Amino acid sequence: MKNILLIGGSHGVGREIASQLSSTNNVYVASRTAKELSDLNVNHIPFDVMLDDIEDKNIPDEIHGFVFCPGSINLKPFKMLDIQDFEEDMEINFFCLVKVVKTIIGNMAEGSSMVFFSTVAVGSGMAYHTSISAAKAAIEGFAKALAAEYAPKLRVNVIAPSLVDTSLASRLLSNDKKKEQMSERHPLKRVGNVKDIANMATFLLNSENSWITGQIIGVDGGMSTLNSNS
């Protein structure tokens, strides 16, 4: 069985990825909490990406798949953002990712796969997204360069979702009216769910799909490429 390491996989998209992979792989979830993992056959590693060093944790010597899930949604007009907002978004989305990758890169097996997360807003340009778009754009650039440097040993890809119905997005989807408004913005007339994103992650981790690397893949209900309102 292959070893899959998820950073921050105890809820939302990460938990769904763990659920999909746990029956056929050794899944290690490094996260702050384990409550929502109780029904899954996974190995939990107590870990706070903002405070802890993964080097100090008991991770597999050989890793075949890696997913970095932590992120933020900080949507404000630019004039209401201060430098600390940008620094915090960059820290949790990008610098924490780089820190973990720096530590585990030597553990990645031949033919292994890494999956990171961006946002549709990087490629589309959306109001009130300056801080999060800057942080996620850093991930996209990092992933492409990393994929080039480590090919053909390992593959690195990025999923760029639109709005997904998770606890992270709860403020944006807090009532039926908001959900309807957000759904109408998408050509497919709904917001995403955790399976939409997890399905792509597990696809990219699968060694049968080993001719895909350095890609930014939109799973966004058509938001990034279609204008269905014209």
Side-chain angles (χ1 to χ4, degrees), residues 111-113 151-152 154-157 203-215 217:
S112 56
S113 173
L154 65 87
R155 300 180 295 113
V156 185
N157 293 287
F203 176 87
L204 292 170
L205 291 170
N206 194 322
S207 58
E208 291 185 359
N209 306 311
S210 60
W211 212 41
I212 305 172
T213 193
Q215 301 302 309
I217 300 174

Side-chain angles (χ1 to χ4, degrees), residues 68-183:
F68 187 86
C69 301
S72 59
I73 301 180
N74 187 14
L75 308 184
K76 295 179 183 178
F78 178 67
K79 65 182 180 181
M80 294 179 63
L81 292 164
D82 56 32
I83 294 301
Q84 185 178 355
D85 290 313
F86 282 87
E87 290 174 345
E88 289 176 354
D89 278 338
M90 193 66 74
E91 183 68 26
I92 190 169
N93 289 279
F94 181 61
F95 286 118
C96 285
L97 166 64
V98 173
K99 184 179 179 181
V100 173
V101 170
K102 188 76 172 174
T103 300
I104 70 166
I105 195 75
N107 299 63
M108 300 303 295
E110 191 78 26
S112 56
S113 173
M114 289 184 160
V115 177
F116 309 150
F117 291 99
S118 180
T119 170
V120 64
V122 171
S124 297
M126 296 181 178
Y128 313 127
H129 284 68
T130 51
S131 181
I132 189 61
S133 290
K136 294 298 191 180
I139 292 174
E140 293 190 8
F142 172 69
K144 288 184 178 182
L146 193 69
E149 186 170 339
Y150 281 87
K153 179 184 178 180
L154 65 87
R155 300 180 295 113
V156 185
N157 293 287
V158 180
I159 298 172
S162 185
L163 187 62
V164 180
D165 191 359
T166 65
S167 58
L168 192 63
S170 60
R171 184 175 60 84
L172 303 174
L173 300 169
S174 57
N175 58 56
D176 290 341
K177 183 177 180 180
K178 286 184 177 181
K179 288 182 179 179
E180 182 179 354
Q181 290 174 336
M182 292 299 181
S183 295

